Amino acid sequence: MEKNTKEISKKPLNNLCKYCGKELIMMKIKMPFGEKKEKFFTATCECVIAKRKKQDEENQKQKIILLLKKNGFETGKYSKMTFNNWKNKTTTATDVSNKATDYINFLALNKRNWLYLFGDYGLGKTHISVASARKIAIKYNLNPSIVRWVEYCNQIQDSWHDKSINVDLNWLMTAQILVLDDIDKKNASEWTLGRMYDVLDYRYINDLPTIITANRSITSLLAFWSKSNETQDLSCAIISRIMGQLEKVIHFKGKDYRFHGGNI
C-alpha cells in the first residue's frame, strides 16, 4: 500500500555525533506534499535516524491499538479472540492457526487478499477472523473494522422508521481491513444481497483486504441464496467477486465447542 514518503540523500560531514561518536551526515530532504516543496538540509546521525524511525513505528502501533479499541476489537468477547487463546480449541486448531498465519504473513495489499472461513456453528470462525484482523492491523498499519452482517442490515432497516439511527455502508466499503461476519446467518432478501454486493464490489475493485465468515462453502451459497431470478443474479455476482479476490479458504471442522463448556 503506497504511502507518502520523504526523498532523502546523505552526505558525510567532519563533525561527530555527541550521542554515539560517529560522523554526522548532512541530509538533503525533498518533501513530497504541501505548498512548499523546496529542499532543505539538516545535520544528523544514523543513530538519531534509527531512534526516530523506531519512535515513529511505536507511535503508529499505538495509533492502531487505539483504533482497535475504538472499532470494538478490544471489548467483550472480541478482546479474548487472539491466537494465544486459540490453542487446543478444536481438534484442527493447529491447522487452522497455521493457515491463518500464512494468510497474514503473505498478505498482498494490492493483489488477491481475501480470506474465507466456513464451517458449522461453534468452531471458532469469528475467533480466528478477529485475531487475524487484529494482527494484520498492527503488522501493516491498517485501520480495521468488523461487522455482524445480518445484525447490521437489521439496523439499516430499523433506520427507515427511526431517523435517530444513523447507518451507512461507506465505512464498510472503505475499511482498510474488514471482517464481514456471518454472511449466511439467515436467508437473504434481494435488498440485503444488493447491499452485500455494493460492499464487496467496491472492495474488490479497490483491492481491500477482507475476511468473510459463513456456515456454508462458497459454492453452497448460490443454492442457499437463489430463491428467485433476482437473488440468483446477485448471488452469482457476489460469489464471482469473492472467488476473484480469494487468497485462502479455511474449512472449520469438529463439534460445537460451546456445547462442551467452551467459549470461542
Side-chain angles (χ1 to χ4, degrees), residues 1-261:
M1 189 169 290
E2 295 184 358
K3 298 181 180 178
N4 286 329
T5 57
K6 302 174 183 177
E7 295 180 16
I8 301 175
S9 59
K10 303 174 184 178
K11 180 181 179 181
L13 299 174
N14 294 322
N15 299 324
L16 301 180
C17 174
K18 64 180 181 179
Y19 299 109
C20 66
K22 293 182 179 180
E23 187 175 30
L24 290 176
I25 55 175
M26 185 72 80
M27 298 185 66
K28 180 181 178 182
I29 305 175
K30 183 179 180 182
M31 304 303 292
F33 50 80
E35 295 181 0
K36 296 182 179 180
K37 296 185 178 181
E38 72 273 19
K39 301 172 184 178
F40 60 93
F41 299 86
T42 183
T44 188
C45 174
E46 293 287 358
C47 74
V48 176
I49 296 172
K51 287 179 181 178
R52 288 175 180 170
K53 182 179 179 181
K54 185 177 181 180
Q55 185 60 53
D56 288 344
E57 290 174 350
E58 181 61 27
N59 290 342
Q60 186 62 39
K61 181 179 178 180
Q62 291 304 316
K63 177 183 176 181
I64 295 299
I65 289 174
L66 289 175
L67 287 172
L68 284 165
K69 292 180 179 178
K70 178 183 176 182
N71 296 343
F73 283 82
E74 303 300 334
T75 59
K77 284 183 168 53
Y78 286 161
S79 66
K80 298 179 176 62
M81 292 180 180
T82 66
F83 282 102
N84 287 337
N85 292 334
W86 173 251
K87 296 176 182 178
N88 301 321
K89 286 288 186 183
T90 66
T91 56
T92 59
T94 301
D95 182 56
V96 165
S97 180
N98 289 341
K99 289 179 178 178
T101 300
D102 284 345
Y103 167 74
I104 294 166
N105 289 338
F106 300 102
L107 180 69
L109 299 180
N110 58 351
K111 297 179 181 178
R112 295 164 70 101
N113 51 28
W114 289 14
L115 174 65
Y116 188 86
L117 314 175
F118 78 99
D120 289 334
Y121 298 103
L123 298 180
K125 300 182 297 296
T126 300
H127 186 128
I128 288 296
S129 68
V130 170
S132 298
R134 183 186 288 106
K135 276 211 165 186
I136 289 169
I138 294 173
K139 182 178 177 68
Y140 298 100
N141 295 326
L142 300 181
N143 187 356
S145 294
I146 182 170
V147 63
R148 296 167 67 87
W149 177 248
V150 173
E151 291 182 10
Y152 193 70
C153 286
N154 291 338
Q155 290 180 31
I156 294 177
Q157 292 174 327
D158 289 342
S159 72
W160 299 343
H161 310 290
D162 185 351
K163 299 303 180 183
S164 66
I165 302 176
N166 183 23
V167 292
D168 65 71
L169 294 175
N170 186 63
W171 67 279
L172 298 179
M173 293 178 177
T174 59
Q176 291 181 319
I177 171 69
L178 175 67
V179 176
L180 197 59
D181 197 24
D182 283 335
I183 63 170
D184 62 342
K185 181 66 73 176
K186 66 178 184 180
N187 212 335
S189 66
E190 181 182 352
W191 181 86
T192 55
L193 285 177
R195 303 297 73 72
M196 188 187 301
Y197 171 82
D198 292 339
V199 171
L200 294 181
D201 183 59
Y202 183 93
R203 300 188 66 78
Y204 171 82
I205 291 172
N206 291 280
D207 293 319
L208 294 171
T210 307
I211 301 174
I212 301 171
T213 76
N215 294 121
R216 295 163 181 81
S217 67
I218 298 173
T219 53
S220 297
L221 289 176
L222 183 59
F224 179 65
W225 282 336
S226 298
K227 304 301 179 182
S228 66
N229 290 335
E230 291 78 10
T231 58
Q232 183 174 17
D233 288 343
L234 284 167
S235 300
C236 290
I238 290 169
I239 292 168
S240 174
R241 279 150 183 78
I242 293 175
M243 294 297 294
Q245 199 68 4
L246 194 62
E247 167 60 25
K248 190 174 289 290
V249 176
I250 302 179
H251 186 188
F252 287 68
K253 302 175 183 179
K255 298 180 179 179
D256 191 327
Y257 189 81
R258 300 185 188 99
F259 283 163
H260 298 83

